[in-house]
Amino acid sequence: MENILREVLLDHVKSPKNRGEIEHATISANSNNPVCGDVVKVDLLIENGFVTEVQTSGEGCAVSQASMSIFSEEISNNSIEDVALKIKEFKSMFQQEGSNVNALSEQSKLLKFLDNNPSKVRCAMLSWLAVEESLIS
């Protein structure tokens, strides 16, 4: 399991998915972690209630960058309702009472290993929380 986890994270760090910016994004969501200096930006193009394009940018630790890449793949071509559900499940995955994470991909579920490291959980959640806040506003 540890080898799979390392392989997936390294792939997302070395070859981040959906890297870039969308010039006329429907939503641009930003977040940062002042404790460690991570900064993330997620641009979404939304058409007819579906995320048709996702682009990400930012700097930070391997966890925040890998999670941002995983998140971009997770929400691409999903309805806004499904994106909100995935974010809710991702957040609940780190809560003590356990969670239902049926909507999440196996890659997203791999980040559960951070459970015992609250500062890294915050890094992993940056892009997820940024989009959640943008969807609420």
Side-chain angles (χ1 to χ4, degrees):
M1 174 69 167
E2 189 174 315
N3 287 340
I4 293 170
L5 173 63
R6 183 177 295 121
E7 203 174 295
V8 168
L9 291 180
L10 283 176
D11 177 55
H12 282 280
V13 170
K14 289 180 179 180
S15 302
K17 313 311 182 250
N18 304 304
R19 194 76 169 161
E21 296 186 9
I22 301 173
E23 187 173 335
H24 299 289
T26 309
I27 292 176
S28 286
N30 299 286
S31 189
N32 70 337
N33 185 348
V35 174
C36 61
D38 292 352
V39 177
V40 301
K41 179 181 179 200
V42 181
D43 289 338
L44 304 179
L45 186 60
I46 300 171
E47 297 174 348
N48 299 319
F50 280 82
V51 176
T52 58
E53 186 178 352
V54 180
Q55 292 291 310
T56 64
S57 57
E59 301 294 327
C61 70
V63 170
S64 71
Q65 299 306 293
S67 182
M68 183 169 56
S69 178
I70 291 169
F71 177 65
S72 73
E73 289 188 317
E74 182 80 53
I75 66 168
S76 186
N77 299 312
N78 278 260
S79 70
I80 294 301
E81 292 80 17
D82 286 344
V83 170
L85 174 63
K86 288 172 183 279
I87 293 169
K88 179 181 177 183
E89 287 189 7
F90 189 77
K91 287 171 41 180
S92 70
M93 183 170 72
F94 296 103
Q95 296 172 348
Q96 295 299 344
E97 70 269 2
S99 64
N100 175 15
V101 292
N102 295 329
L104 295 176
S105 69
E106 291 306 312
Q107 288 189 79
S108 292
K109 292 176 189 176
L110 283 175
L111 294 170
K112 174 77 171 148
F113 87 96
L114 299 166
D115 208 15
N116 293 323
N117 190 338
S119 66
K120 289 301 177 187
V121 168
R122 173 69 180 142
C123 294
M125 285 196 177
L126 282 176
S127 51
W128 301 72
L129 295 176
V131 170
E132 178 184 51
E133 290 170 16
S134 293
L135 291 177
I136 293 170
S137 347

